[in-house]
């Protein structure tokens, strides 16, 4: 399982990103809320454009323009997730997304009927399930997410499942068999004094859980 660090869970995201560069974290997760009609805060994004880690970008917006796609393609952005509930014209967004070079998927909250995603099976490489309220750092994990994730994984066979929101060590263990990537926010940041040790422990435990799963 890959681990993506939510950079904006810190009050000093640049300093936090610097501290994470030399760890085994797989990517940096960046959340952007639409502002003044723009899907992404360009000045903020440019601070990470030459980052030493791949970027995992989550957009909460009503639409996305071609300039944003070009900006993402010119950076180290490997993963792009767009919150489906916020889009005003999904089909129009999809036409633009076709120009994105990386791994694209829709983000969805567990209080939204996952049937909304069914028409877009052929264009998604992943589904990002938001297990807490999107964009609120430190929000609690929604327990109903476990059943939701299982249902989504069953219905969307072959599409990777990513999760974000309120995840800690215990939840990581419970999610392992159904999930390909987790986003860690407050849990990782709150352990920043031993951040490398925390990441390594999760990675090692992931390897053990994988070995156990292979023998079942």
């Amino acid at each position: 399982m890959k681990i993506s660090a939510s950079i904006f869970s810190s009050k000093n995201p640049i300093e936090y990103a610097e501290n994470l560069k030399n760890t085994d974290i797989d990517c940096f997760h960046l959340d952007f809320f639409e502002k003044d009609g723009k899907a992404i805060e360009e000045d903020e994004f440019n601070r990470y454009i030459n980052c030493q880690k791949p970027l995992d970008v989550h957009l909460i917006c009503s639409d996305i323009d071609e300039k944003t796609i070009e900006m993402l393609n010119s950076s180290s952005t490997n993963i792009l997730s767009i919150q489906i509930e916020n889009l005003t014209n999904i089909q129009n967004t999809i036409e633009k997304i076709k120009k994105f070079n990386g791994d694209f998927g829709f983000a969805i909250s567990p209080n939204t009927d996952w049937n909304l995603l069914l028409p877009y099976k052929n264009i998604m490489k992943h589904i990002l399930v938001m297990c807490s309220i999107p964009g609120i750092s430190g929000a609690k994990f929604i327990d109903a997410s476990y059943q939701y994730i299982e249902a989504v994984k069953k219905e969307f066979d072959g599409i990777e499942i990513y999760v974000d929101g309120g995840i800690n060590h215990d939840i990581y263990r419970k999610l392992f068999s159904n999930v390909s990537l987790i986003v860690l926010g407050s849990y990782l940041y709150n352990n920043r004094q031993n951040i490398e040790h925390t990441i390594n422990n999760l990675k090692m435990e992931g390897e053990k859980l994988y070995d156990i799963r292979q023998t079942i």
Side-chain angles (χ1 to χ4, degrees), residues 8 29-41 56-64 68 80-88 105-109 128 130 132-136 164:
F8 295 153
H29 182 86
L30 305 176
D31 289 301
F32 290 100
F33 283 87
E34 186 174 54
K35 186 176 182 181
D36 298 327
K38 294 182 179 180
I40 200 164
E41 297 174 34
D56 160 24
V57 175
H58 177 204
L59 301 181
I60 301 98
C61 58
S62 60
D63 197 8
I64 187 170
T68 299
L80 172 62
S81 307
I82 300 182
Q83 197 72 34
I84 194 167
E85 297 95 337
N86 294 72
L87 293 172
T88 54
F106 284 119
I108 192 167
S109 298
L128 174 64
M130 297 302 302
S132 64
I133 300 171
I136 299 180
D164 181 12

Side-chain angles (χ1 to χ4, degrees), residues 23 188-201:
T23 70
L188 196 58
Y189 181 69
N190 291 340
N191 286 284
R192 62 191 178 278
Q193 299 303 323
N194 297 296
I195 201 160
E196 189 167 1
H197 178 71
T198 301
I199 294 167
N200 289 342
N201 275 353

Side-chain angles (χ1 to χ4, degrees), residues 170-197:
D170 290 338
I171 294 170
Y172 168 86
R173 288 179 57 87
K174 293 176 183 178
L175 291 172
F176 189 86
S177 61
N178 288 322
V179 170
S180 301
L181 178 147
I182 60 166
V183 178
L184 291 181
S186 297
Y187 172 73
L188 196 58
Y189 181 69
N190 291 340
N191 286 284
R192 62 191 178 278
Q193 299 303 323
N194 297 296
I195 201 160
E196 189 167 1
H197 178 71

Side-chain angles (χ1 to χ4, degrees), residues 60-78:
I60 301 98
C61 58
S62 60
D63 197 8
I64 187 170
D65 58 29
E66 292 187 4
K67 181 180 178 182
T68 299
I69 297 296
E70 291 172 3
M71 184 166 53
L72 294 170
N73 283 339
S74 66
S75 71
S76 60
T77 303
N78 284 2

Side-chain angles (χ1 to χ4, degrees), residues 85 131 148 160 168:
E85 297 95 337
C131 301
Y148 189 90
E160 304 283 354
N168 58 28

Side-chain angles (χ1 to χ4, degrees), residues 197-213:
H197 178 71
T198 301
I199 294 167
N200 289 342
N201 275 353
L202 288 170
K203 292 275 189 177
M204 289 175 63
E205 183 153 12
E207 290 176 5
K208 291 177 183 177
L209 290 171
Y210 177 79
D211 290 341
I212 291 170
R213 189 172 65 179

Side-chain angles (χ1 to χ4, degrees), residues 77-105:
T77 303
N78 284 2
I79 300 171
L80 172 62
S81 307
I82 300 182
Q83 197 72 34
I84 194 167
E85 297 95 337
N86 294 72
L87 293 172
T88 54
N89 189 327
I90 297 175
Q91 200 57 49
N92 185 50
T93 300
I94 288 171
E95 288 304 311
K96 297 169 186 173
I97 286 300
K98 289 178 181 178
K99 296 181 180 179
F100 176 61
N101 294 333
D103 171 349
F104 169 74

